[in-house]
Amino acid sequence: QLRLVESGGGLVQVGDSLRLSCAASTHTFSSYDFAWFRQRLGEEREFVAAIRWEGTTRDVADPVKGRFTISRDDRRHSVALQMNSLKPEDTAVYYCAASTSGSWSARARARSWEYWGQGTQVTVSS
């Protein structure tokens, strides 16, 4: 069983940057694909970014493209989401997800991911 713990959320101003981290408790970290999703109040969970097990294949959703970057550190068993030029519409609970099921083609679907963290709140104030 894989446990994911997110950290780094908080209250920031428009245009600020924030870096989220996801710590994974597993000895087979390098075999997992990882993703970040977010969920605004009253809305469905939304795909933000994903990175494959090999660390070079990545995808970022259009609303955050050019502002958000996903990365992984296999030695530290962690995944990061660097968020720059934050906007009020980025306000949401951000979730880390992981999977070894090989469903990369369906990465934007929340149900494709096997494991989830508890989420971390990001609030962007104008």
Side-chain angles (χ1 to χ4, degrees):
Q1 185 74 14
L2 175 64
R3 182 167 178 256
L4 302 173
V5 179
E6 302 96 334
S7 62
L11 172 64
V12 296
Q13 301 295 314
V14 169
D16 283 353
S17 297
L18 206 57
R19 185 177 179 87
L20 304 183
S21 292
C22 173
S25 60
T26 175
H27 294 297
T28 57
F29 180 89
S30 60
S31 65
Y32 286 87
D33 296 339
F34 287 90
W36 287 95
F37 283 73
R38 66 187 181 186
Q39 189 166 19
R40 300 184 187 91
L41 194 62
E43 298 185 12
E44 297 287 321
R45 202 162 289 191
E46 174 191 27
F47 172 76
V48 175
I51 187 167
R52 293 218 70 179
W53 61 273
E54 21 79 322
T56 55
T57 304
R58 311 178 193 201
D59 187 27
V60 179
D62 286 343
V64 303
K65 195 161 290 184
R67 300 189 296 121
F68 289 14
T69 303
I70 187 171
S71 62
R72 62 188 293 155
D73 186 335
D74 284 15
R75 288 183 300 173
R76 297 184 177 182
H77 292 189
S78 67
V79 180
L81 183 69
Q82 178 66 41
M83 306 186 296
N84 299 327
S85 302
L86 283 162
K87 304 176 181 180
E89 53 263 42
D90 295 321
T91 295
V93 177
Y94 283 73
Y95 295 91
C96 179
S99 177
T100 58
S101 65
S103 57
W104 182 255
S105 61
R107 58 193 173 276
R109 299 178 188 172
R111 62 184 179 183
S112 297
W113 297 87
E114 301 172 85
Y115 304 99
W116 291 87
Q118 82 290 345
T120 185
Q121 176 71 46
V122 172
T123 303
V124 184
S125 173
S126 56

